[in-house]
Amino acid sequence: MLSAQERAHVAQVWDLIAGHEAAFGAELLLRLFTVYPSTKIYFKHLGVCPDEAQLLTHGQRLLEAVGVAVQHTDHLRAALSPLADLHAQVLRVDPANFPLLIQCFHVMLASHLQGEFTVQMQAAWDKFLTEVAMVLTEKYQ
Ligand code: HEM
C-alpha cells in the first residue's frame, strides 16, 4: 500500500506523462525489446520503428492502463482485474518479464524528466509498478 506521500509522487510524475501515452509507451516497449530481446517473443506482430502504428497503439494502451492504475492506487485489484485475467489466462506472459518492464519504465521516466525525477519519485514509482505487476501476475495458477 502506498503512503500519501508516495501517492503524491506517483501522481506528480503521471501529470508529466499524461497526454504523451503513445510516444512514451512506444519508447518503453522499444527499450524493453532492445535491452531484453527475449521479451519480443510475445510481440512478434510489432515492428521496432519508433513511429510504427501498432507499436504506438500498444504503447498507448499499456500506458493508459498505468494511468487507470494511478487513479486507483488503493483498489488496484478491482481496477486491473480484466487485465490480470488477460495476462495470466490468455497471454500467459511469464511473470519474470514484469521486473524487466519496470526497469525500462524507470529509464524511460528518467530520460524524459531528468532532474525533475527525484529519488523519492523513483522509489514511489518502483513500489507502485511492483504493486501493479503483482496484481497482473497473481492469477497464475
Ligand atoms: C496486452 C498492459 C506487462 C505482454 C496488454 C494490454 C494492456 C497491457 C492494456 C492491451 C489489452 C487489450 O487490448 O485488451 C500491461 C501493463 C503491464 C503489462 C500495465 C505492466 C505494468 C506486460 C509484460 C508483457 C506483456 C511484461 C510481456 C513481456 C502483453 C501482450 C499483450 C498485452 C503480448 C497482447 C498484445 C496484442 O494483442 O497486441 N498489456 N501489460 N504485458 N500485454 Fe501487457
Side-chain angles (χ1 to χ4, degrees):
M1 185 75 87
L2 300 183
S3 68
Q5 178 83 74
E6 288 164 339
R7 272 202 303 275
H9 284 314
V10 168
Q12 205 180 342
V13 169
W14 183 256
D15 283 346
L16 300 167
I17 299 175
H20 307 282
E21 286 86 349
F24 280 28
E27 184 192 323
L28 171 62
L29 289 168
L30 272 185
R31 283 187 185 277
L32 183 69
F33 301 155
T34 306
V35 182
Y36 303 108
S38 62
T39 58
K40 183 70 170 66
I41 197 156
Y42 295 101
F43 297 95
K44 290 200 179 93
H45 54 298
L46 293 190
V48 288
C49 295
D51 56 354
E52 205 245 349
Q54 275 184 297
L55 188 75
L56 286 162
T57 301
H58 187 66
Q60 178 162 4
R61 284 198 191 125
L62 199 165
L63 278 213
E64 282 174 352
V66 173
V68 169
V70 170
Q71 307 306 324
H72 297 87
T73 46
D74 287 340
H75 310 281
L76 284 182
R77 196 157 283 120
L80 300 178
S81 181
L83 214 48
D85 289 336
L86 180 76
H87 284 78
Q89 287 150 20
V90 181
L91 301 169
R92 305 197 71 78
V93 173
D94 184 337
N97 290 290
F98 283 78
L100 308 182
L101 183 75
I102 291 174
Q103 167 72 20
C104 292
F105 210 111
H106 287 308
V107 178
M108 183 272 286
L109 289 177
S111 76
H112 284 279
L113 307 182
Q114 298 186 7
E116 285 182 88
F117 191 48
T118 64
V119 289
Q120 290 81 7
M121 284 175 178
Q122 184 184 354
W125 268 84
D126 194 55
K127 192 167 166 186
F128 165 64
L129 289 171
T130 300
E131 287 185 4
V132 169
M134 271 172 57
V135 168
L136 292 187
T137 55
E138 70 187 2
K139 296 194 185 184
Y140 286 72
Q141 259 124 38

